[in-house]
Amino acid sequence: MDELGLGIFACALLIPVFLTGIEIAFGIGIIGLVGYTIISGPSAAFNLFAQDLFDTFSSYGLTVIPLFMLMGYIAFYAGIAQRVYDATYKLIGHIPGGLAMATVVAATLFKAMCGSTFATAATFSSVAVPLMSKYNYSKKLSSGVVASVGTIGILIPPSIFMIIYGIMTQQSIGELFLAGIVPGILLSVIFIAVIYVRCKLNPSLGPKSEVTYSLKQKLNNLPEFLSVVAIFLLVVGGLMSGIFVPTEAGSIGVFAVLMLALLRRSISFSNFCRAVDESLRGGIMVLMLIATSAIFAHFLAITEITRLAGSWLCELPLPKTAIIVIICLFYLIGGSFIDDLAFMILATPIVFPAILGLGYDPIWFGVMIGITIMVGSIIPPIAASVFIVKSITGESFATIYSGVVPFLLSFVAVGALLLIFPEIATWLPHMLMGM
């Protein structure tokens, strides 16, 4: 078997290896190490293995990943999401479907200080679904909106996905953060429009609240929004203006959220320890994925699969738009067999040269892949966001997916708009950072 054939065989071998239940990072690393050993010998392979592990775990830039995760988990355990949700409910709860709309708004705001998509989904499964049930909302609507809006953190900064993509492709994390803001807000607005139209056509889906609040009561909740906006502007604004680098932005974000929680006396020492533990576990998992994917990428490079795949995609007798759709479907299908983030780390080195060869903006492409991964988070068989909602609420998959479908179409609509009007993603970074 020649080197190219060995590379193709190794890629095909990934799926059955993952189906054995082995940790994804270990499976990728073992196949990459064995493949490199066959081609270059054990000495070169193990030296490379050690170097890739050392480079990843000693990288100052990668410390931003557990920092932004810690920022999100502190916000989660401090009950900040509950406060924002309550404040939003008082503003728009009187509208048909108002509680579901409040969930979208609050989750979007909460994501502005939370680096974890899973924490967002878990938070609003615990906070929003019980309250919507109390007011006789359809279980399809309540569970569907929480499962869908939990994924919005992939676009809204600080996004772990954007950080990893930026590091892998050597793109500005500040520009990627800015590129995700407008599509993320657009998606939230479309979600709200979908909820409003559905509840207007069928008021039983989301009855309006009978409780009304005075203007003074509504204004009293303004600090809840201002605190979130202030932390968001501090982290993203400082990063964007070059005042500090991403790792410093993560540290300042953690400090700001922790100070907010301490001033409100809303986090205990035990919960702080839980936040540190969960962020370290999540961060190490991601770092191990990056390290082992680097080993596998080096193996693919010497088999020339990366170069040949890029050349093949660029030479396809199809419009460039069709090729982008094929690449997005590749991410979507691949993410159906393994974790979407893991597949992104694995696949991006293969397809990224083709993106550059086709003349596409890599910042825009990052947003497109982000939306693709958002869809992958709610469709079977992985469907991480749906599994979180099911495990917390106890609703059946049939009920959750009945509510998810209209929002799934919203993802497709935003993806199509980005394909037709890439300026939706590139306008803000171009205006603020001269991209």
Side-chain angles (χ1 to χ4, degrees):
M1 185 183 296
D2 61 8
E3 292 179 355
L4 179 61
L6 180 63
I8 294 171
F9 175 74
C11 291
L13 189 62
L14 284 171
I15 293 174
V17 167
F18 295 148
L19 292 177
T20 64
I22 190 173
E23 287 290 337
I24 293 172
F26 297 149
I28 293 171
I30 290 168
I31 292 175
L33 179 63
V34 171
Y36 206 95
T37 299
I38 292 172
I39 294 175
S40 301
S43 178
F46 281 95
N47 283 336
L48 178 69
F49 180 78
Q51 188 64 50
D52 282 339
L53 285 176
F54 178 81
D55 287 346
T56 299
F57 283 94
S58 64
S59 170
Y60 174 74
L62 289 175
T63 57
V64 69
I65 294 171
L67 282 171
F68 276 125
M69 284 188 171
L70 179 58
M71 181 179 169
Y73 279 113
I74 291 173
F76 171 70
Y77 282 111
I80 291 174
Q82 175 74 64
R83 290 172 176 269
V84 173
Y85 183 69
D86 290 343
T88 310
Y89 163 62
K90 289 176 182 177
L91 285 176
I92 59 177
H94 61 283
I95 303 171
L99 277 174
M101 295 180 195
T103 302
V104 174
V105 174
T108 304
L109 289 171
F110 179 67
K111 190 56 199 70
M113 63 166 63
C114 176
S116 171
T117 296
F118 294 155
T120 305
T123 299
F124 287 92
S125 295
S126 304
V127 171
V129 173
L131 190 59
M132 283 190 270
S133 297
K134 178 182 175 182
Y135 286 96
N136 299 316
Y137 271 60
S138 163
K139 294 186 183 298
K140 293 179 181 179
L141 177 61
S142 61
S143 58
V145 71
V146 170
S148 302
V149 81
T151 66
I152 207 165
I154 291 173
L155 292 184
I156 300 291
S159 163
I160 300 299
F161 163 80
M162 290 295 189
I163 292 169
I164 295 171
Y165 175 83
I167 291 169
M168 291 185 65
T169 59
Q170 299 182 338
Q171 301 301 311
S172 165
I173 292 174
E175 289 178 7
L176 284 165
F177 277 4
L178 289 173
I181 292 174
V182 175
I185 293 174
L186 176 62
L187 191 58
S188 296
V189 170
I190 293 177
F191 277 2
I192 290 171
V194 167
I195 293 166
Y196 182 78
V197 170
R198 291 183 70 196
C199 290
K200 269 292 185 181
L201 295 175
N202 184 3
S204 65
L205 287 176
K208 64 181 181 179
S209 172
E210 300 298 328
V211 181
T212 57
Y213 296 90
S214 66
L215 179 60
K216 183 179 179 180
Q217 288 175 307
K218 292 178 180 179
L219 291 176
N220 285 340
N221 286 280
L222 201 56
E224 301 297 342
F225 299 110
L226 294 179
S227 61
V228 173
V229 173
I231 292 173
F232 175 79
L233 291 177
L234 175 66
V235 173
V236 178
L239 182 61
M240 175 190 68
S241 60
I243 296 174
F244 36 73
V245 297
T247 299
E248 294 166 344
S251 302
I252 290 169
V254 169
F255 178 78
V257 174
L258 183 58
M259 286 301 101
L260 179 63
L262 290 175
L263 287 171
R264 289 175 171 171
R265 299 182 180 180
S266 58
I267 188 168
S268 64
F269 181 71
S270 60
N271 278 341
F272 174 73
C273 291
R274 287 193 189 98
V276 173
D277 178 69
E278 292 187 37
S279 58
L280 282 175
R281 288 174 183 272
I284 291 169
M285 179 192 72
V286 173
L287 290 176
M288 184 59 77
L289 270 172
I290 293 172
T292 55
S293 294
I295 297 163
F296 191 77
H298 282 124
F299 163 62
L300 291 183
I302 60 173
T303 64
E304 295 200 334
I305 281 183
T306 305
R307 181 184 64 80
L308 292 172
S311 299
W312 177 74
L313 285 169
C314 290
E315 293 169 4
L316 282 175
L318 295 170
K320 291 200 302 182
T321 302
I323 295 174
I324 283 291
V325 172
I326 290 171
I327 291 173
C328 289
L329 288 173
F330 172 62
Y331 275 89
L332 196 59
I333 294 169
S336 296
F337 293 97
I338 65 173
D339 177 78
D340 295 280
L341 182 61
F343 188 78
M344 186 276 290
I345 293 172
L346 191 63
T348 298
I350 298 173
V351 302
F352 191 69
I355 296 301
L356 297 179
L358 291 167
Y360 280 109
D361 188 326
I363 299 292
W364 169 86
F365 179 68
V367 177
M368 284 295 294
I369 295 308
I371 291 176
T372 304
I373 288 177
M374 291 165 78
V375 174
S377 296
I378 57 175
I379 63 172
I382 301 296
S385 186
V386 173
F387 272 96
I388 290 171
V389 174
K390 183 185 186 301
S391 65
I392 293 175
T393 65
E395 298 294 341
S396 67
F397 283 120
T399 299
I400 298 172
Y401 275 112
S402 296
V404 159
V405 170
F407 300 106
L408 193 59
L409 297 176
S410 303
F411 288 118
V412 175
V414 172
L417 286 172
L418 276 169
L419 203 56
I420 299 168
F421 306 107
E423 295 82 8
I424 294 172
T426 59
W427 167 76
L428 192 59
H430 178 78
M431 182 182 72
L432 295 179
M433 298 186 73
M435 188 183 84

